[in-house]
Amino acid sequence: MAFYDWNKDGKKDFQDDFIEYNIYKESTQNNSNNNYNSGGGMSNFGAGCATVASIFIAAGILSVFNLEGAALVIAFIIVVSIVAAIIATFFG
């Protein structure tokens, strides 16, 4: 039974049910007019793998430069951030 008298004839009948069904069907269709993105994101597992991979890659890159102390920590954070962004862009 319709929730609204769409054709304004004073009763909620089959015609109103039909109109309301088509409004519902059109508004829930998966088309390009929707304001949401269904899928396409990186999963939690993928994000975890990208993080671990970026840490190992950053450690490998920084082992070449033989940095020590605070410079190592800062460089490590910067390189991990860059590598993680690259991994997320191409594989996410």
Side-chain angles (χ1 to χ4, degrees), residues 29-84:
Q29 266 182 337
N30 190 11
N31 59 20
S32 62
N33 295 331
N34 288 339
N35 293 329
Y36 62 91
N37 183 5
S38 59
M42 181 181 277
S43 68
N44 290 339
F45 179 73
C49 289
T51 302
V52 171
S54 64
I55 289 171
F56 280 111
I57 292 170
I61 291 171
L62 292 177
S63 67
V64 172
F65 295 108
N66 198 15
L67 298 174
E68 293 181 6
L72 175 64
V73 173
I74 293 170
F76 185 75
I77 291 170
I78 292 170
V79 173
V80 166
S81 300
I82 292 170
V83 171

Short mmCIF file of all heavy atoms in Angstrom, two decimals, residues 29-84:
data_model
loop_
_atom_site.label_atom_id
_atom_site.label_comp_id
_atom_site.label_asym_id
_atom_site.label_seq_id
_atom_site.Cartn_x
_atom_site.Cartn_y
_atom_site.Cartn_z
N GLN A 29 18.19 2.36 -8.30
CA GLN A 29 18.96 1.77 -9.40
C GLN A 29 20.41 2.14 -9.28
O GLN A 29 20.76 3.24 -8.84
CB GLN A 29 18.44 2.25 -10.75
CG GLN A 29 17.44 1.37 -11.38
CD GLN A 29 17.02 1.93 -12.74
OE1 GLN A 29 17.16 3.11 -12.99
NE2 GLN A 29 16.53 1.06 -13.59
N ASN A 30 21.29 1.23 -9.68
CA ASN A 30 22.73 1.51 -9.67
C ASN A 30 23.10 2.14 -11.00
O ASN A 30 23.40 1.46 -11.96
CB ASN A 30 23.52 0.22 -9.43
CG ASN A 30 24.97 0.50 -9.17
OD1 ASN A 30 25.36 1.64 -8.97
ND2 ASN A 30 25.77 -0.54 -9.18
N ASN A 31 23.08 3.47 -11.03
CA ASN A 31 23.43 4.17 -12.26
C ASN A 31 24.45 5.26 -11.95
O ASN A 31 24.87 5.44 -10.83
CB ASN A 31 22.18 4.75 -12.96
CG ASN A 31 21.44 5.72 -12.07
OD1 ASN A 31 21.98 6.25 -11.11
ND2 ASN A 31 20.18 5.96 -12.38
N SER A 32 24.84 5.99 -12.95
CA SER A 32 25.89 7.00 -12.78
C SER A 32 25.41 8.24 -12.04
O SER A 32 26.21 9.09 -11.69
CB SER A 32 26.44 7.39 -14.15
OG SER A 32 25.41 7.97 -14.92
N ASN A 33 24.12 8.36 -11.78
CA ASN A 33 23.61 9.53 -11.08
C ASN A 33 23.68 9.40 -9.57
O ASN A 33 23.35 10.34 -8.86
CB ASN A 33 22.16 9.81 -11.49
CG ASN A 33 22.05 10.18 -12.95
OD1 ASN A 33 22.98 10.73 -13.51
ND2 ASN A 33 20.93 9.87 -13.56
N ASN A 34 24.08 8.26 -9.08
CA ASN A 34 24.17 8.08 -7.63
C ASN A 34 25.31 8.91 -7.06
O ASN A 34 26.31 9.14 -7.71
CB ASN A 34 24.38 6.61 -7.28
CG ASN A 34 23.13 5.79 -7.51
OD1 ASN A 34 22.04 6.33 -7.55
ND2 ASN A 34 23.29 4.50 -7.66
N ASN A 35 25.15 9.32 -5.82
CA ASN A 35 26.16 10.16 -5.17
C ASN A 35 27.15 9.35 -4.36
O ASN A 35 27.89 9.92 -3.57
CB ASN A 35 25.47 11.18 -4.27
CG ASN A 35 24.68 12.19 -5.06
OD1 ASN A 35 25.06 12.51 -6.18
ND2 ASN A 35 23.60 12.69 -4.49
N TYR A 36 27.15 8.07 -4.50
CA TYR A 36 28.07 7.25 -3.72
C TYR A 36 28.88 6.37 -4.66
O TYR A 36 28.49 6.11 -5.78
CB TYR A 36 27.33 6.40 -2.70
CG TYR A 36 26.37 5.41 -3.31
CD1 TYR A 36 26.80 4.13 -3.64
CD2 TYR A 36 25.06 5.73 -3.55
CE1 TYR A 36 25.94 3.22 -4.21
CE2 TYR A 36 24.18 4.83 -4.12
CZ TYR A 36 24.64 3.57 -4.43
OH TYR A 36 23.79 2.68 -5.00
N ASN A 37 30.01 5.93 -4.14
CA ASN A 37 30.89 5.06 -4.91
C ASN A 37 30.76 3.65 -4.35
O ASN A 37 31.05 3.43 -3.18
CB ASN A 37 32.34 5.55 -4.78
CG ASN A 37 33.29 4.74 -5.62
OD1 ASN A 37 32.88 3.87 -6.37
ND2 ASN A 37 34.56 5.03 -5.49
N SER A 38 30.33 2.73 -5.16
CA SER A 38 30.16 1.36 -4.68
C SER A 38 31.40 0.55 -5.04
O SER A 38 31.56 0.09 -6.16
CB SER A 38 28.91 0.72 -5.29
OG SER A 38 29.00 0.73 -6.68
N GLY A 39 32.28 0.39 -4.07
CA GLY A 39 33.48 -0.41 -4.29
C GLY A 39 34.64 0.42 -4.79
O GLY A 39 34.61 1.63 -4.85
N GLY A 40 35.70 -0.26 -5.14
CA GLY A 40 36.86 0.41 -5.69
C GLY A 40 37.88 0.82 -4.65
O GLY A 40 38.93 1.33 -5.00
N GLY A 41 37.60 0.60 -3.39
CA GLY A 41 38.54 0.97 -2.35
C GLY A 41 39.49 -0.17 -2.01
O GLY A 41 39.34 -1.30 -2.45
N MET A 42 40.50 0.14 -1.23
CA MET A 42 41.46 -0.86 -0.82
C MET A 42 40.92 -1.56 0.43
O MET A 42 40.39 -0.91 1.34
CB MET A 42 42.81 -0.20 -0.52
CG MET A 42 43.88 -1.19 -0.11
SD MET A 42 45.46 -0.40 0.27
CE MET A 42 46.12 -0.23 -1.37
N SER A 43 41.05 -2.87 0.49
CA SER A 43 40.60 -3.61 1.65
C SER A 43 41.56 -3.41 2.82
O SER A 43 42.67 -2.92 2.66
CB SER A 43 40.50 -5.10 1.31
OG SER A 43 41.81 -5.62 1.09
N ASN A 44 41.14 -3.82 4.00
CA ASN A 44 42.01 -3.73 5.18
C ASN A 44 43.24 -4.60 5.00
O ASN A 44 44.35 -4.22 5.39
CB ASN A 44 41.25 -4.15 6.43
CG ASN A 44 40.21 -3.14 6.83
OD1 ASN A 44 40.28 -1.97 6.43
ND2 ASN A 44 39.25 -3.57 7.60
N PHE A 45 43.06 -5.77 4.42
CA PHE A 45 44.19 -6.66 4.18
C PHE A 45 45.17 -6.01 3.20
O PHE A 45 46.38 -6.05 3.41
CB PHE A 45 43.70 -8.00 3.64
CG PHE A 45 44.81 -8.97 3.35
CD1 PHE A 45 45.49 -9.59 4.38
CD2 PHE A 45 45.18 -9.23 2.04
CE1 PHE A 45 46.52 -10.49 4.12
CE2 PHE A 45 46.21 -10.12 1.76
CZ PHE A 45 46.88 -10.75 2.81
N GLY A 46 44.66 -5.42 2.14
CA GLY A 46 45.51 -4.75 1.17
C GLY A 46 46.25 -3.57 1.77
O GLY A 46 47.43 -3.34 1.48
N ALA A 47 45.57 -2.82 2.65
CA ALA A 47 46.23 -1.69 3.30
C ALA A 47 47.34 -2.18 4.23
O ALA A 47 48.41 -1.57 4.30
CB ALA A 47 45.21 -0.87 4.08
N GLY A 48 47.08 -3.27 4.93
CA GLY A 48 48.11 -3.84 5.81
C GLY A 48 49.31 -4.33 5.01
O GLY A 48 50.47 -4.10 5.40
N CYS A 49 49.05 -5.01 3.92
CA CYS A 49 50.15 -5.50 3.06
C CYS A 49 50.95 -4.33 2.48
O CYS A 49 52.18 -4.38 2.41
CB CYS A 49 49.60 -6.36 1.93
SG CYS A 49 48.99 -7.96 2.47
N ALA A 50 50.25 -3.27 2.07
CA ALA A 50 50.94 -2.10 1.53
C ALA A 50 51.80 -1.43 2.59
O ALA A 50 52.92 -0.99 2.31
CB ALA A 50 49.92 -1.10 0.99
N THR A 51 51.33 -1.40 3.83
CA THR A 51 52.11 -0.81 4.91
C THR A 51 53.36 -1.61 5.19
O THR A 51 54.46 -1.06 5.31
CB THR A 51 51.25 -0.70 6.18
OG1 THR A 51 50.09 0.08 5.89
CG2 THR A 51 52.02 -0.06 7.32
N VAL A 52 53.19 -2.92 5.31
CA VAL A 52 54.35 -3.78 5.58
C VAL A 52 55.35 -3.71 4.42
O VAL A 52 56.56 -3.59 4.64
CB VAL A 52 53.90 -5.24 5.83
CG1 VAL A 52 55.07 -6.19 5.89
CG2 VAL A 52 53.10 -5.31 7.13
N ALA A 53 54.86 -3.76 3.21
CA ALA A 53 55.74 -3.69 2.04
C ALA A 53 56.48 -2.36 2.00
O ALA A 53 57.69 -2.32 1.72
CB ALA A 53 54.94 -3.88 0.75
N SER A 54 55.79 -1.27 2.32
CA SER A 54 56.45 0.04 2.29
C SER A 54 57.51 0.15 3.37
O SER A 54 58.55 0.79 3.16
CB SER A 54 55.42 1.16 2.42
OG SER A 54 54.78 1.12 3.68
N ILE A 55 57.30 -0.47 4.52
CA ILE A 55 58.32 -0.45 5.58
C ILE A 55 59.57 -1.21 5.12
O ILE A 55 60.70 -0.72 5.29
CB ILE A 55 57.75 -1.04 6.89
CG1 ILE A 55 56.74 -0.06 7.48
CG2 ILE A 55 58.86 -1.33 7.89
CD1 ILE A 55 55.96 -0.61 8.66
N PHE A 56 59.39 -2.38 4.53
CA PHE A 56 60.54 -3.15 4.06
C PHE A 56 61.27 -2.44 2.91
O PHE A 56 62.50 -2.41 2.86
CB PHE A 56 60.12 -4.56 3.63
CG PHE A 56 59.96 -5.49 4.78
CD1 PHE A 56 58.70 -5.96 5.14
CD2 PHE A 56 61.04 -5.93 5.53
CE1 PHE A 56 58.53 -6.81 6.21
CE2 PHE A 56 60.89 -6.78 6.60
CZ PHE A 56 59.63 -7.23 6.94
N ILE A 57 60.51 -1.86 2.00
CA ILE A 57 61.13 -1.14 0.89
C ILE A 57 61.89 0.07 1.40
O ILE A 57 63.02 0.34 0.97
CB ILE A 57 60.06 -0.74 -0.16
CG1 ILE A 57 59.52 -2.00 -0.85
CG2 ILE A 57 60.63 0.24 -1.18
CD1 ILE A 57 58.31 -1.75 -1.72
N ALA A 58 61.30 0.81 2.34
CA ALA A 58 61.97 1.98 2.91
C ALA A 58 63.24 1.58 3.65
O ALA A 58 64.27 2.26 3.54
CB ALA A 58 61.02 2.74 3.84
N ALA A 59 63.18 0.48 4.39
CA ALA A 59 64.37 0.01 5.09
C ALA A 59 65.47 -0.36 4.11
O ALA A 59 66.66 -0.07 4.34
CB ALA A 59 64.02 -1.18 5.98
N GLY A 60 65.10 -0.97 3.01
CA GLY A 60 66.08 -1.33 1.99
C GLY A 60 66.71 -0.12 1.34
O GLY A 60 67.92 -0.06 1.12
N ILE A 61 65.87 0.88 1.04
CA ILE A 61 66.38 2.10 0.41
C ILE A 61 67.31 2.84 1.37
O ILE A 61 68.39 3.29 1.00
CB ILE A 61 65.21 3.01 -0.04
CG1 ILE A 61 64.46 2.37 -1.20
CG2 ILE A 61 65.70 4.40 -0.42
CD1 ILE A 61 63.16 3.08 -1.57
N LEU A 62 66.91 2.97 2.63
CA LEU A 62 67.70 3.75 3.59
C LEU A 62 68.97 3.03 4.05
O LEU A 62 69.90 3.67 4.54
CB LEU A 62 66.85 4.13 4.79
CG LEU A 62 65.74 5.13 4.48
CD1 LEU A 62 64.89 5.40 5.70
CD2 LEU A 62 66.32 6.43 3.96
N SER A 63 69.01 1.71 3.91
CA SER A 63 70.23 1.00 4.29
C SER A 63 71.39 1.37 3.36
O SER A 63 72.55 1.27 3.74
CB SER A 63 70.00 -0.51 4.28
OG SER A 63 69.77 -0.96 2.97
N VAL A 64 71.08 1.80 2.17
CA VAL A 64 72.11 2.23 1.21
C VAL A 64 72.79 3.52 1.68
O VAL A 64 74.00 3.69 1.52
CB VAL A 64 71.49 2.42 -0.19
CG1 VAL A 64 72.48 3.03 -1.16
CG2 VAL A 64 70.93 1.12 -0.71
N PHE A 65 72.02 4.42 2.33
CA PHE A 65 72.55 5.72 2.70
C PHE A 65 73.26 5.74 4.06
O PHE A 65 73.91 6.72 4.40
CB PHE A 65 71.42 6.77 2.69
CG PHE A 65 70.86 6.98 1.32
CD1 PHE A 65 69.60 6.51 0.99
CD2 PHE A 65 71.60 7.62 0.34
CE1 PHE A 65 69.07 6.71 -0.28
CE2 PHE A 65 71.10 7.81 -0.93
CZ PHE A 65 69.83 7.36 -1.24
N ASN A 66 73.10 4.70 4.86
CA ASN A 66 73.82 4.55 6.13
C ASN A 66 73.64 5.76 7.05
O ASN A 66 74.60 6.34 7.55
CB ASN A 66 75.31 4.29 5.87
CG ASN A 66 75.99 3.69 7.09
OD1 ASN A 66 75.32 3.22 8.00
ND2 ASN A 66 77.30 3.74 7.11
N LEU A 67 72.36 6.16 7.28
CA LEU A 67 72.06 7.29 8.16
C LEU A 67 72.00 6.83 9.61
O LEU A 67 71.79 5.66 9.89
CB LEU A 67 70.72 7.91 7.75
CG LEU A 67 70.65 8.49 6.35
CD1 LEU A 67 69.23 8.93 6.04
CD2 LEU A 67 71.61 9.65 6.19
N GLU A 68 72.14 7.78 10.54
CA GLU A 68 72.09 7.45 11.96
C GLU A 68 71.22 8.46 12.70
O GLU A 68 71.08 9.60 12.28
CB GLU A 68 73.50 7.47 12.56
CG GLU A 68 74.41 6.39 12.05
CD GLU A 68 75.79 6.46 12.69
OE1 GLU A 68 75.98 7.27 13.61
OE2 GLU A 68 76.66 5.70 12.27
N GLY A 69 70.68 8.05 13.83
CA GLY A 69 69.96 8.94 14.74
C GLY A 69 68.68 9.51 14.17
O GLY A 69 67.90 8.84 13.51
N ALA A 70 68.47 10.81 14.46
CA ALA A 70 67.24 11.49 14.08
C ALA A 70 67.08 11.57 12.57
O ALA A 70 65.96 11.51 12.05
CB ALA A 70 67.21 12.89 14.69
N ALA A 71 68.17 11.71 11.86
CA ALA A 71 68.10 11.76 10.40
C ALA A 71 67.53 10.47 9.84
O ALA A 71 66.74 10.50 8.88
CB ALA A 71 69.48 12.04 9.81
N LEU A 72 67.88 9.35 10.43
CA LEU A 72 67.36 8.06 9.99
C LEU A 72 65.85 7.98 10.23
O LEU A 72 65.11 7.53 9.36
CB LEU A 72 68.08 6.92 10.71
CG LEU A 72 67.55 5.51 10.43
CD1 LEU A 72 67.75 5.17 8.96
CD2 LEU A 72 68.24 4.50 11.31
N VAL A 73 65.41 8.42 11.40
CA VAL A 73 63.98 8.36 11.73
C VAL A 73 63.17 9.24 10.79
O VAL A 73 62.14 8.83 10.26
CB VAL A 73 63.76 8.76 13.21
CG1 VAL A 73 62.28 8.86 13.52
CG2 VAL A 73 64.43 7.79 14.14
N ILE A 74 63.61 10.46 10.59
CA ILE A 74 62.88 11.39 9.72
C ILE A 74 62.86 10.88 8.28
O ILE A 74 61.82 10.87 7.63
CB ILE A 74 63.51 12.79 9.80
CG1 ILE A 74 63.28 13.37 11.20
CG2 ILE A 74 62.93 13.71 8.74
CD1 ILE A 74 64.04 14.64 11.47
N ALA A 75 64.00 10.43 7.79
CA ALA A 75 64.06 9.91 6.43
C ALA A 75 63.19 8.66 6.29
O ALA A 75 62.52 8.48 5.27
CB ALA A 75 65.51 9.59 6.06
N PHE A 76 63.17 7.81 7.32
CA PHE A 76 62.35 6.59 7.29
C PHE A 76 60.87 6.94 7.17
O PHE A 76 60.15 6.36 6.37
CB PHE A 76 62.62 5.75 8.53
CG PHE A 76 61.92 4.43 8.52
CD1 PHE A 76 62.39 3.39 7.72
CD2 PHE A 76 60.80 4.21 9.29
CE1 PHE A 76 61.75 2.17 7.69
CE2 PHE A 76 60.16 3.00 9.26
CZ PHE A 76 60.63 1.97 8.47
N ILE A 77 60.42 7.90 7.95
CA ILE A 77 59.01 8.29 7.91
C ILE A 77 58.65 8.87 6.54
O ILE A 77 57.60 8.55 5.97
CB ILE A 77 58.71 9.32 9.03
CG1 ILE A 77 58.81 8.63 10.39
CG2 ILE A 77 57.34 9.96 8.85
CD1 ILE A 77 58.77 9.57 11.57
N ILE A 78 59.51 9.70 6.00
CA ILE A 78 59.25 10.30 4.69
C ILE A 78 59.21 9.24 3.60
O ILE A 78 58.29 9.21 2.77
CB ILE A 78 60.30 11.39 4.38
CG1 ILE A 78 60.12 12.57 5.33
CG2 ILE A 78 60.20 11.84 2.93
CD1 ILE A 78 61.24 13.58 5.27
N VAL A 79 60.17 8.34 3.60
CA VAL A 79 60.23 7.32 2.56
C VAL A 79 59.06 6.35 2.67
O VAL A 79 58.46 5.96 1.66
CB VAL A 79 61.59 6.59 2.59
CG1 VAL A 79 61.60 5.41 1.63
CG2 VAL A 79 62.72 7.54 2.25
N VAL A 80 58.69 5.96 3.90
CA VAL A 80 57.53 5.07 4.08
C VAL A 80 56.27 5.74 3.55
O VAL A 80 55.45 5.11 2.89
CB VAL A 80 57.37 4.65 5.56
CG1 VAL A 80 56.02 4.04 5.81
CG2 VAL A 80 58.45 3.68 5.97
N SER A 81 56.10 7.01 3.85
CA SER A 81 54.91 7.73 3.37
C SER A 81 54.84 7.77 1.85
O SER A 81 53.79 7.53 1.25
CB SER A 81 54.91 9.16 3.91
OG SER A 81 54.90 9.14 5.31
N ILE A 82 55.96 8.05 1.22
CA ILE A 82 55.99 8.13 -0.24
C ILE A 82 55.74 6.77 -0.87
O ILE A 82 54.93 6.63 -1.80
CB ILE A 82 57.33 8.73 -0.72
CG1 ILE A 82 57.43 10.20 -0.31
CG2 ILE A 82 57.50 8.58 -2.23
CD1 ILE A 82 58.80 10.81 -0.51
N VAL A 83 56.42 5.75 -0.36
CA VAL A 83 56.26 4.40 -0.93
C VAL A 83 54.84 3.89 -0.71
O VAL A 83 54.24 3.29 -1.60
CB VAL A 83 57.32 3.44 -0.34
CG1 VAL A 83 57.04 2.01 -0.74
CG2 VAL A 83 58.71 3.84 -0.76
N ALA A 84 54.26 4.13 0.48
CA ALA A 84 52.88 3.69 0.74
C ALA A 84 51.90 4.39 -0.19
O ALA A 84 50.95 3.77 -0.67
CB ALA A 84 52.52 3.96 2.20
#
